[in-house]
Amino acid sequence: SVQKRTYLIQQMMPESVAYNMPGNLKLHGEVKAEALKNALQTMTDRHEILRTQFLMVDGEPVQKILDCVDADFEYITSEEADEKLIAGYMKPFDLSSGKLVRIKLVNKGEYHLMLLDMHHIVSDGMSINTFTKELMAEHTKEQTSVIDETTEILSEIAQEHANDEPDRENEVFLV
């Protein structure tokens, strides 16, 4: 299977970020860090794949679904340049941790920068759209145009797999 192959390649190169699927968004308007953290936790609780460990048992790769995993969410305030924050965010995932999606929300004063990273073993170009739509719905607790806008933006990011420079296209206005 694709997951088995991805796991084996990641184990051969544990420091590789080749299977990371990073993205970033500038969020304008009211952003509630605790609500975003709770939204990520709700999704982690709801979807088994977001709390799955990938392990080697008796020479065979296996999946172990954990009952509970704390969402990997960090909130900071920083004046550091967006480019530097983005460049320093991506790091290898430990497939045995059960934490294969992470979000860092950075308060920049005028806006928030949301850094998102998922491992390809739990997501692809299509499922990242669903993930983002659900995350934003959980955060806002209502369907708004920002969900479609964010899904469209992250679809482009997923196709590129990396976003070296932030640009105006990755801005979302929350109402």
Side-chain angles (χ1 to χ4, degrees), residues 69-126:
V69 170
D70 289 333
D72 193 344
F73 180 88
E74 181 181 6
Y75 178 69
I76 66 167
T77 299
S78 177
E79 294 178 12
E80 194 169 15
D82 290 0
E83 295 82 5
K84 192 168 183 180
L85 289 164
I86 292 165
Y89 183 63
M90 195 168 53
K91 60 185 177 185
F93 281 97
D94 174 1
L95 299 182
S96 67
S97 73
K99 293 183 178 187
L100 300 176
V101 61
R102 57 182 161 241
I103 291 177
K104 183 176 197 174
L105 184 63
V106 184
N107 184 338
K108 301 288 290 178
E110 294 179 16
Y111 61 92
H112 285 78
L113 178 64
M114 184 178 86
L115 304 170
L116 167 70
D117 198 7
M118 297 180 84
H119 196 280
H120 188 57
I121 204 164
V122 299
S123 183
D124 59 24
M126 295 300 286

